Amino acid sequence: MPKPEVSASYQELSEDVERVSENPTEETEGEMEVHEDSSSVILPDGELGTTTPSLRFSKTCLKNVFSVILLFIYLLLMAVAVFLVYQTISDFREKLKHPVMSVTYKEVSLYDAPGIAFYPGKARLLSCKHHYYDHIPPLINPGQPGDIECTTQRINYTDPFTNQTMKYALIVQGPRDVKKRELVFLQFHLNETDQDFSAIDYLLFSSFQEFVSSPEKAKFMKDCESSYSSWKFSGGFRTWVKMSLVKTKEEDGSETVEFKQETSVVNYIDQRTKPRSDQLFFVVFEWKDPFIQTVQDIITANPWNMIALLCGIFLALFKAADFAKLSVKWMIKIRRRHLKRTRQVTNHIS
């Protein structure tokens, strides 16, 4: 009985072949539909290739790296700003402790006539004259009393250091006109001395007029002797004193006056015929130049400059902190977005 079944199946196969040969287009269209269906299946991202996710990952990584670098740069700038704040405050305090000395010069044509206090002891004033343009005429009868053309005053007062010894002072008005090179030439005579060396002390103070107008001249001279230095000039010489005035302004606003001196000494050739045991003293006072020197301490630290600098530094600090905060937030946002995409891809693949 198997032969009839084989013949039947063979007949069916023959019929199918004849049907395909008669309608070949229908079979081709069916195969194309199968291929299109298979190609229309959505594959996961891992199956499509790794080019696009790798590119996205590299961009995200670069952004994170640049963000970290910028964050460290701004942290470094913040550290530098903090150091500058500390250094600025330290410099300001240092400048407050150590002010800078400022020296200015003021040109004048006439000085206030200074006072010259002589302490001659046993010596006697023979002559006193004002001359101009550095010219001193030859001496006439040296050692003999001559003309006293200077304004002078005599005063006695107690020694400010001992308060016991009485001192005798001869106050002479000094030169004024610096443009005409005014000078004062004085001659003293000491008849006898029991000392090995002979000299006369003198003291300079700022204003002869203040001494004249002072109601207590003794107290005025005691204060001058306590405040100013005294000098000496020797007998047998002509001592030329060139004065310059220095004013110093104190922190409390007060002003002190000091004299600077340049002296030159010339030997006196005594041409008197008879030998004598007396001693002659010659001294000249003149202004060195027409400039009054003013000295004062100046604090170079300007608080407004420091405040402006600190404001700029603090503004930079706040801007840097704000940028760092935004950078951190942006990094966290990028990280969350990357993790979210990773979870989506994982879930899709699964």
Side-chain angles (χ1 to χ4, degrees), residues 164-209:
Q164 296 177 356
T165 307
M166 290 296 296
K167 302 189 72 173
Y168 161 70
L170 173 65
I171 314 299
V172 179
Q173 182 178 1
R176 297 185 68 240
D177 196 340
V178 66
K179 294 294 185 181
K180 294 181 179 181
R181 310 290 296 275
E182 180 184 1
L183 57 87
V184 177
F185 177 61
L186 300 99
Q187 179 185 177
F188 290 87
H189 173 259
L190 180 61
N191 190 12
E192 293 180 357
T193 179
D194 55 354
Q195 298 178 355
D196 297 331
F197 302 95
S198 58
I200 295 176
D201 296 338
Y202 68 94
L203 174 73
L204 295 173
F205 56 91
S206 59
S207 176
F208 180 80
Q209 187 61 36

Side-chain angles (χ1 to χ4, degrees), residues 179-322:
K179 294 294 185 181
K180 294 181 179 181
R181 310 290 296 275
E182 180 184 1
L183 57 87
V184 177
F185 177 61
L186 300 99
Q187 179 185 177
F188 290 87
H189 173 259
L190 180 61
N191 190 12
E192 293 180 357
T193 179
D194 55 354
Q195 298 178 355
D196 297 331
F197 302 95
S198 58
I200 295 176
D201 296 338
Y202 68 94
L203 174 73
L204 295 173
F205 56 91
S206 59
S207 176
F208 180 80
Q209 187 61 36
E210 288 183 6
F211 167 75
V212 173
S213 60
S214 175
E216 298 181 0
K217 293 181 174 59
K219 184 178 182 301
F220 182 88
M221 288 306 303
K222 289 174 69 174
D223 293 339
C224 287
E225 190 172 353
S226 301
S227 303
Y228 299 103
S229 301
S230 60
W231 292 271
K232 298 178 182 290
F233 61 94
S234 301
F237 299 92
R238 187 193 69 182
T239 303
W240 199 302
V241 180
K242 292 189 175 182
M243 307 173 293
S244 58
L245 192 63
V246 179
K247 294 183 179 181
T248 304
K249 293 183 179 181
E250 305 294 339
E251 294 182 358
D252 56 356
S254 61
E255 188 176 79
T256 60
V257 179
E258 179 185 2
F259 283 90
K260 289 186 177 181
Q261 302 183 42
E262 293 181 5
T263 60
S264 60
V265 179
V266 179
N267 186 29
Y268 168 66
I269 301 174
D270 196 346
Q271 297 180 353
R272 292 176 293 178
T273 56
K274 295 181 181 181
R276 297 177 181 273
S277 61
D278 58 355
Q279 192 77 38
L280 296 178
F281 301 81
F282 304 94
V283 63
V284 181
F285 290 92
E286 180 189 11
W287 288 108
K288 178 184 176 182
D289 50 47
F291 298 102
I292 298 177
Q293 182 178 346
T294 304
V295 180
Q296 61 180 346
D297 292 336
I298 296 179
I299 298 175
T300 57
N302 192 344
W304 296 108
N305 290 342
M306 190 194 71
I307 291 173
L309 180 60
L310 290 178
C311 289
I313 292 174
F314 282 121
L315 181 62
L317 283 175
F318 287 129
K319 288 293 183 181
D322 190 25

Side-chain angles (χ1 to χ4, degrees), residues 69-85:
I69 292 174
L70 287 176
L71 182 61
F72 277 108
I73 290 174
Y74 276 90
L75 288 177
L76 179 61
L77 292 177
M78 290 176 65
V80 172
V82 171
F83 174 75
L84 289 177
V85 169

Side-chain angles (χ1 to χ4, degrees), residues 86-147:
Y86 172 77
Q87 193 67 28
T88 302
I89 296 174
S90 300
D91 292 343
F92 182 78
R93 295 178 60 185
E94 192 69 19
K95 289 179 180 179
L96 286 178
K97 293 180 181 178
H98 303 285
V100 179
M101 181 180 293
S102 172
V103 180
T104 58
Y105 293 90
K106 180 182 178 181
E107 185 177 3
V108 295
S109 58
L110 290 175
Y111 279 95
D112 188 7
I116 309 171
F118 295 96
Y119 302 94
K122 295 181 180 181
R124 183 167 61 97
L125 178 64
L126 294 180
S127 64
C128 179
K129 292 184 178 181
H130 290 261
H131 301 284
Y132 295 91
Y133 300 107
D134 291 342
H135 175 68
I136 300 176
L139 295 175
I140 300 175
N141 297 324
Q144 300 297 322
D147 297 333

